[in-house]
Amino acid sequence: MKLSASFYKGRDVVLIARKLIGKVLVTFIEGQYTSGIITETEAYNGIYDKASHAYGDRRTMRTEVMYGGGGLAYVYLCYGIHSLFNVVTNVEGVPNAVLVRGVCPLDGTEIMEARRKRKTGKGFSDGPGTAAKALGIHYSQSGADLRGGMIWIEDRKIRVAEKDILVTPRIGVDYAAEDALFPYRFLWTKPCK
DNA sequence: TATAAGATTTACT
DNA sequence: GTAAATCTTATAT
């Protein structure tokens, strides 16, 4: 079943990032159905977070999606090459988002292998750019509604034990100074099959 | 208008 | 381990 609107509208973006571990990200793009279990996330705490694009209430064409309210997809092009997929959370006007850093291939692995041009295995979809690419998500999809569009998240009752979740500082945001040290990254250590 | 840097991945030395 | 690929946004002329 798909996650409800109230799940995304929650006020605590860090808690939502934690809850997204073990959920299933599903896409139906260009007639092809693929999905993957979310294994790694990072929270971006809006205007108070130097690592966030919306830090200091920077409202631009790119960040506008994050102000649209929980339940939208924010997809951003990084380094001119990679599409990074985020889940927008909190209520309208508060630019919070959760970056999906890794998934475990579930449905349509052959399709994902074709998209990635490599076989599943180590390094297949355990980075923010590669995970989005495997699922066929492109930055042109930014702003998509997660409850009625081509991208959505399901709860398949996959149980994730508290002890199997590793909490660490975020990756690749050294420029954010002290804000880079917040334990906003969640990683499912249990290997998935 | 022009330039620098970025929530990264991949290939090559 | 180091560097190239490649484009949008933010900041500076």
Side-chain angles (χ1 to χ4, degrees):
Chain A
M1 65 155 98
K2 292 185 188 181
L3 293 182
S4 67
S6 59
F7 179 90
Y8 299 112
K9 301 275 185 191
R11 304 286 177 139
D12 189 344
V13 64
V14 179
L15 181 65
I16 293 174
R18 152 71 185 82
K19 284 184 176 174
L20 280 174
I21 298 287
K23 296 292 188 293
V24 179
L25 179 58
V26 189
T27 60
F28 190 76
I29 291 169
E30 291 174 342
Q32 301 190 297
Y33 176 86
T34 52
S35 74
I37 303 167
I38 296 171
T39 58
E40 188 177 346
T41 61
E42 274 180 10
Y44 283 83
N45 192 16
I47 63 175
Y48 307 108
D49 185 350
K50 286 180 185 167
S52 171
H53 292 150
Y55 173 67
D57 206 20
R58 257 193 319 229
R59 207 161 176 154
T60 67
M61 208 123 68
R62 181 173 65 164
T63 61
E64 191 62 33
V65 178
M66 284 197 279
Y67 289 86
L72 297 177
Y74 171 49
V75 189
Y76 149 70
L77 185 66
C78 184
Y79 292 96
I81 304 173
H82 307 286
S83 294
L84 307 197
F85 173 78
N86 299 253
V87 179
V88 178
T89 69
N90 217 313
V91 294
E92 194 174 337
V94 183
N96 287 5
V98 176
L99 170 68
V100 175
R101 289 191 61 92
V103 298
C104 172
L106 200 63
D107 301 311
T109 50
E110 306 84 8
I111 298 166
M112 290 192 269
E113 285 179 345
R115 283 172 182 153
R116 290 275 291 119
K117 294 187 170 61
R118 64 173 56 194
K119 292 292 181 183
T120 50
K122 189 170 169 52
F124 180 75
S125 58
D126 55 1
T130 55
K133 185 163 188 184
L135 291 167
I137 298 170
H138 188 258
Y139 67 88
S140 62
Q141 313 265 355
S142 194
D145 193 332
L146 296 176
R147 305 178 336 277
M150 300 181 292
I151 307 170
W152 66 93
I153 298 174
E154 295 178 1
D155 185 355
R156 297 198 184 174
K157 304 298 178 192
I158 297 170
R159 208 175 64 80
V160 181
E162 203 67 42
K163 65 176 173 58
D164 292 331
I165 295 180
L166 194 63
V167 184
T168 77
R170 291 173 296 184
I171 305 294
V173 292
D174 294 343
Y175 64 88
E178 70 275 9
D179 286 352
L181 301 175
F182 290 139
Y184 282 180
R185 173 172 176 249
F186 297 90
L187 175 64
W188 192 13
T189 59
K190 195 174 166 186
C192 54
K193 33 182 183 320

